[in-house]
Amino acid sequence: MSCQMLEHLWEENGLEEKTDTDSRDGIVGTDITAIQELISIDKKDYDDAGRYHGLHSKRPQLKLGGKMFLYEIVANGRNSVDIDKIDYLMRDGRACDVQHNFDPSRLLQLSKVINDRICFKMSEVYNLYNLFNTRANHHQVIYTHAKAKAVEFMVTDALVAADRHFKFNELIWEASTFKTLDDTLLKRIEWSIDADLADARAIVRRLRNRDLYKFAGEVSVPEHMHASWSRVSAQDIVDRAPRGSALHVKDVIVDNKEINYSMKVFVF
């Protein structure tokens, strides 16, 4: 959708008509494809040795293919060390007052392009470890915090309940309609008077009153049991409830999550 949105904004604002195809003063039409490539290349487009093949994104030939290191700046599918990750870790850490223990300025200063790849000085190996450790820590203490997950599930339930009114499934496929699903959506539900939004409205009002879903508990699965561990379902919880319990599947949300250090294979 990011690529579609970029193309839509380009066309909607008439930028094709305002720029010369040979201009060197700003973005031109021929740059759009390159930008789309820079933000869409995925780790699945690389083999285990870090060689690009483009099979996942169906881009075997890249517009900037002669400078592959450029594709490691915004969304690095080769080893996941990129500006996007550094930016959101610093942003979210600052917003939630959670400190990070890596130094992005050193990574920038002590890196260079070697054989068409962005490489880091060996002395920064622990700085890189700390980058991924910070990511894992953020997932543990911010992104999967009990209250954050409660809000996430409640927003999801509100949107599902509102789907019959807004018909999200018809809006999410085109950039021109997808852009209407912005941060005002919950407010639009909250202040609506439509009867078919009553359930969604009740959930949003619970959010405003801080009447969040209750966290029941968690279980950490030892690493040696991961291979044989089966994902737990809401039905599993209900089946093991005390006899005579009024607990129903609709009352339970189970979040099976794995927090790791990003990619399983790192190629620096």
Side-chain angles (χ1 to χ4, degrees):
M1 179 53 69
S2 296
C3 294
Q4 292 182 38
M5 186 63 70
L6 175 64
E7 191 169 343
H8 168 70
L9 293 175
W10 178 264
E11 295 174 352
E12 184 182 50
N13 289 282
L15 297 180
E16 285 184 315
E17 302 173 0
K18 296 178 181 179
T19 57
D20 189 286
T21 55
D22 295 324
S23 174
R24 296 181 179 272
D25 298 326
I27 297 175
V28 298
T30 53
D31 293 329
I32 294 299
T33 300
I35 294 173
Q36 290 174 326
E37 291 175 352
L38 291 172
I39 63 178
S40 65
I41 298 302
D42 189 86
K43 62 183 179 182
K44 296 178 181 178
D45 287 310
Y46 292 81
D47 62 21
D48 291 343
R51 292 185 294 265
Y52 178 82
H53 52 66
L55 297 179
H56 177 74
S57 63
K58 298 179 181 179
R59 298 179 185 271
Q61 299 294 326
L62 297 173
K63 187 172 181 59
L64 303 177
K67 297 181 178 180
M68 285 300 298
F69 71 91
L70 293 175
Y71 296 95
E72 300 178 3
I73 297 175
V74 179
N76 189 345
R78 188 169 68 86
N79 58 29
S80 194
V81 180
D82 52 48
I83 295 301
D84 175 65
K85 178 179 275 79
I86 292 173
D87 175 68
Y88 79 71
L89 290 178
M90 296 182 68
R91 177 200 65 203
D92 297 343
R94 180 184 292 272
C96 298
D97 196 24
V98 175
Q99 301 299 314
H100 62 78
N101 59 351
F102 67 94
D103 187 346
S105 62
R106 285 187 60 87
L107 289 178
L108 294 176
Q109 294 171 4
L110 300 176
S111 62
K112 64 168 58 177
V113 176
I114 302 175
N115 295 331
D116 209 19
R117 294 180 175 183
I118 296 178
C119 302
F120 301 94
K121 189 176 180 181
M122 188 62 189
S123 63
E124 296 311 293
V125 62
Y126 293 108
N127 197 9
L128 289 167
Y129 286 152
N130 287 336
L131 169 67
F132 289 100
N133 183 65
T134 297
R135 175 188 177 277
N137 183 61
H138 276 25
H139 275 275
Q140 186 68 51
V141 304
I142 299 178
Y143 309 134
T144 62
H145 187 280
K147 297 297 184 184
K149 295 300 292 186
V151 171
E152 176 188 329
F153 291 134
M154 292 181 75
V155 170
T156 300
D157 285 348
L159 295 180
V160 170
D163 182 56
R164 59 179 174 269
H165 177 85
F166 289 102
K167 300 185 180 347
F168 297 127
N169 193 51
E170 298 177 7
L171 301 177
I172 61 177
W173 305 109
E174 297 292 335
S176 59
T177 52
F178 181 83
K179 70 180 182 182
T180 65
L181 306 177
D182 59 10
D183 291 343
T184 66
L185 193 54
L186 291 183
K187 275 293 186 183
R188 284 147 60 187
I189 293 173
E190 183 179 11
W191 297 113
S192 67
I193 58 174
D194 295 280
D196 58 352
L197 285 174
D199 292 341
R201 189 160 55 244
I203 296 174
V204 174
R205 287 179 178 171
R206 282 188 62 180
L207 276 170
R208 301 302 186 200
N209 294 326
R210 199 65 178 173
D211 180 18
L212 305 180
Y213 291 169
K214 302 302 180 184
F215 173 69
E218 65 180 357
V219 175
S220 296
V221 182
E223 186 175 356
H224 69 275
M225 296 178 62
H226 285 187
S228 59
W229 186 265
S230 299
R231 295 173 67 85
V232 179
S233 67
Q235 186 65 57
D236 293 330
I237 302 298
V238 172
D239 290 344
R240 288 163 176 77
R243 185 180 299 274
S245 171
L247 191 65
H248 298 284
V249 171
K250 65 181 179 60
D251 301 321
V252 179
I253 297 176
V254 179
D255 182 29
N256 292 277
K257 63 177 181 287
E258 179 183 354
I259 297 177
N260 54 35
Y261 287 80
S262 192
M263 301 170 68
K264 293 183 178 181
V265 179
F266 297 98
V267 184
F268 293 122

